[in-house]
Amino acid sequence: MRVAIVGSGPSGFYAAEALLKQNEVPVEIDMFDRLPTPYGLVRGGVAPDHQKIKGVIAVYERLALLPHFRFFGNVMLGRDVQADGLRELYDQIIYAVGNESDRHLGIPGEDLAGSHSATEFVGWYNGHPDHRHREFDLSQEDVAVIGIGNVAMDVTRILAEDPDALAKTDIADYALAALRKSRVKTIHLLGRRGPAQAAFSPAEIREIGELSCTDLVVRPDEVRIDEVSAADYADPENKKNVDYLQVVATRGEGTRGRKVRLRFLTAPTELHAEGGRVSALSMELNRLDKNEKGMVVAKGTGKHERLKAGLVFRSIGYRGIPIPGVPFDDKAGKIPNVQGRVTDASGKTTPAEYVVGWAKRGPSGLIGTNRADSVATVQALLADAKGGIALTHDEREPDAMERRLKDAGVRFLTFQDWKRLDKLELERGAVSGKIREKFTTVPEMLAALDKNAAAADR
Ligand code: NAP
């Protein structure tokens, strides 16, 4: 089997792992990424102060160095190669393209200057080529972060943390410089439901509660548990969150210069402008209720509050971006599928095309969640393959893709090219005492490789 995997984040690598580990069918894998660099959200999403999480890269690298695996970096599906082009050259395609856009609140003022998606901010501090040019007005004293998932925790922590704690990481140099000049004093972290329904993990909220220069402030009345939340509170992770926050509530305001004010039962209804930029946020206060399925939902009380906020981050979840020639469910923001088998608009399976990770199930779960998810999709693929389902049964030249890309003038990177870039980034980092100094634009990456190759030739 010749399998194309589109996307080199965790779900793509776990699909590769599942294919390479089985020995029922010999397999050749070509993995594509639109960026010259591999690893998706592990490189561009995981926060720079969470280096341990990035340790999974060692596993991915071992796979990438195996003989039946090739990496094609800087090759974008829909730009440099078309879905039909893949269908001609591979027996199976696995889409591991993640969710590269974000959900919208649908409230007035959402798109005002100074209102950003968390995706943009995360990409910016992580040196992602799509976002490195963005500017965030960190001269503002009051910031609002909407949503209380783990992405909101990352955004809040990067804003609230002492920049010295980030200085040795792989944070982009321009982001560190901007954070050093930050005048942010208060970060309002806004959840629409209660503490027993919070999407953050216990470890993540605790990290915010233990920052050296920032106090986490919660209101005692907002972390009390009532009858409606009793079932959610019984969940061990939720219980850890609530119990911790109840302790934090007893600390009061604290004495540190910066505050993270975590609020529950608050739903932003409008962002207000002053001088063409966001300056404040209106929100309705909620109460909790149960819907017909027994799920705890937020209901507006009709009472409103207004908060000063000169910078707003919306962190309410991601969604996918459609790829030309590949089915897309616009409502759900993902590739339609039944247990990883891609389906078309009529719900019929598209033979020998599969999907894994966030593109398959939406933006949920931790990195490790993708392992079992990718294994399940690969099992479906193998069952289909044994039943004779493949995109084509023709013999194809192993180098056909390489030749096509070269003929089309596409500058693609191999995994060995990436390893050279990796070494250069590590060397740049060592100069300034950092783990790594990333290249943050594609031309910069390509130029660094050319310079390195020229130096090796001399
Ligand atoms: P998430 O966990 O789904 O959280 C989204 C948050 O937005 C929830 O608090 C949700 O509230 C809220 N929300 C949704 N729609 C809203 C609306 N219209 N108005 C107000 N609030 C709204 O998503 P995420 O934070 O983007 O994270 C995605 C996945 O990546 C998660 O599985 C997360 O654990 C994972 N992740 C993990 C780490 C880590 O381990 N360090 C770091 C980053 C991301 P409701 O609950 O009320 O819907």
Side-chain angles (χ1 to χ4, degrees):
M1 293 188 315
R2 305 187 61 78
V3 184
I5 300 180
V6 185
S8 68
S11 67
F13 268 105
Y14 290 131
E17 182 184 47
L19 283 166
L20 292 166
K21 266 192 173 169
Q22 56 81 38
N23 41 28
E24 297 165 66
V25 195
V27 63
E28 300 279 339
I29 296 171
D30 283 352
M31 180 180 275
F32 298 86
D33 202 292
R34 70 182 178 91
L35 291 179
T37 52
Y39 309 138
L41 274 184
V42 181
R43 177 177 165 102
V46 172
D49 55 345
H50 279 176
Q51 289 298 320
K52 253 195 189 162
I53 297 180
K54 299 194 195 209
V56 291
I57 282 178
V59 176
Y60 307 158
E61 189 174 298
R62 277 200 295 278
L63 293 165
L65 293 169
L66 290 174
H68 302 291
F69 181 102
R70 293 191 302 185
F71 176 68
F72 289 93
N74 204 28
V75 178
M76 183 171 172
L77 182 59
R79 180 189 67 190
D80 306 309
V81 60
Q82 303 305 320
D84 277 343
L86 292 186
R87 291 178 185 124
E88 281 167 25
L89 295 186
Y90 295 93
D91 299 308
Q92 288 87 6
I93 305 171
I94 300 178
Y95 301 103
V97 292
N99 283 178
E100 292 200 289
S101 184
D102 48 279
R103 286 192 194 133
H104 287 253
L105 283 162
I107 62 170
E110 182 168 13
D111 296 319
L112 279 170
S115 164
H116 308 271
S117 69
T119 321
E120 293 168 2
F121 189 61
V122 170
W124 173 76
Y125 64 65
N126 274 327
H128 192 295
D130 287 359
H131 302 293
R132 62 98 54 225
H133 62 283
R134 299 199 185 277
E135 286 178 11
F136 302 94
D137 184 3
L138 298 174
S139 70
Q140 297 296 329
E141 292 192 354
D142 289 274
V143 180
V145 178
I146 303 170
I148 53 169
N150 283 332
V151 172
M153 297 302 113
D154 285 346
V155 167
T156 299
R157 207 176 57 255
I158 297 297
L159 288 167
E161 200 153 49
D162 178 351
D164 280 344
L166 298 167
K168 291 191 164 56
T169 68
D170 58 354
I171 189 169
D173 53 356
Y174 56 78
L176 182 64
L179 289 165
R180 284 199 187 282
K181 288 196 214 133
S182 164
R183 294 213 209 113
V184 171
K185 271 199 176 149
T186 307
I187 301 152
H188 303 277
L189 191 45
L190 306 174
R192 63 177 169 180
R193 296 188 291 160
Q197 293 80 34
F200 49 67
S201 315
E204 313 297 317
I205 190 64
R206 201 171 271 271
E207 255 186 286
I208 295 196
E210 285 163 15
L211 290 174
S212 63
C213 59
T214 303
D215 289 305
L216 173 62
V217 183
V218 292
R219 298 185 180 192
D221 59 320
E222 287 186 357
V223 290
R224 267 185 221 123
I225 295 301
D226 62 13
E227 208 31 54
V228 180
S229 288
D232 285 339
Y233 181 62
D235 172 275
E237 293 288 287
N238 294 342
K239 185 177 184 316
K240 274 190 210 158
N241 280 341
V242 175
D243 292 353
Y244 178 65
L245 290 171
Q246 287 178 345
V247 173
V248 171
T250 63
R251 292 189 202 156
E253 286 285 306
T255 53
R256 297 179 176 92
R258 249 180 207 159
K259 309 286 175 202
V260 170
R261 296 189 181 279
L262 171 58
R263 296 289 310 274
F264 293 102
L265 301 168
T266 54
T269 51
E270 183 170 359
L271 303 189
H272 306 281
E274 212 178 276
R277 296 184 56 82
V278 67
S279 61
L281 176 155
S282 285
M283 54 195 196
E284 184 171 10
L285 302 188
N286 286 336
R287 65 182 175 78
L288 295 178
D289 202 352
K290 277 196 181 167
N291 68 11
E292 59 288 352
K293 289 181 192 149
M295 189 189 163
V296 177
V297 292
K299 289 266 166 77
T301 60
K303 287 186 205 140
H304 289 81
E305 268 185 33
R306 194 177 162 116
L307 273 184
K308 201 174 145 204
L311 184 62
V312 174
F313 294 103
R314 307 175 312 264
S315 184
I316 61 163
Y318 293 92
R319 56 178 279 119
I321 296 176
I323 300 171
V326 180
F328 188 70
D329 176 347
D330 196 50
K331 195 157 167 256
K334 57 185 188 177
I335 296 179
N337 69 92
V338 177
Q339 290 163 349
R341 293 181 173 98
V342 176
T343 55
D344 64 15
S346 68
K348 228 176 95 218
T349 313
T350 313
E353 295 190 35
Y354 305 88
V355 58
V356 289
W358 283 7
K360 170 185 173 183
R361 61 176 200 279
S364 68
L366 308 179
I367 290 172
T369 314
N370 294 297
R371 188 175 230 146
D373 175 285
S374 291
V375 166
T377 292
V378 167
Q379 276 166 355
L381 180 155
L382 290 169
D384 291 352
K386 281 185 235 156
I389 298 176
L391 282 163
T392 154
H393 298 274
D394 303 340
E395 269 299 308
R396 266 136 305 133
E397 239 190 282
D399 292 336
M401 176 51 71
E402 220 167 325
R403 210 171 10 140
R404 275 198 193 182
L405 291 172
K406 278 185 186 151
D407 289 350
V410 178
R411 165 99 188 251
F412 62 88
L413 269 71
T414 62
F415 199 75
Q416 283 62 37
D417 292 331
W418 153 246
K419 284 306 295 168
R420 283 199 289 139
L421 210 52
D422 183 32
K423 187 162 173 273
L424 291 172
E425 288 190 345
L426 295 172
E427 284 167 6
R428 273 158 47 109
V431 172
S432 46
K434 291 176 70 180
I435 294 173
R436 168 188 302 273
E437 193 65 68
K438 289 178 188 168
F439 294 105
T440 59
T441 71
V442 173
E444 201 187 10
M445 294 174 194
L446 301 181
L449 279 176
D450 289 342
K451 200 170 148 203
N452 178 261
D457 284 347
R458 274 201 298 274

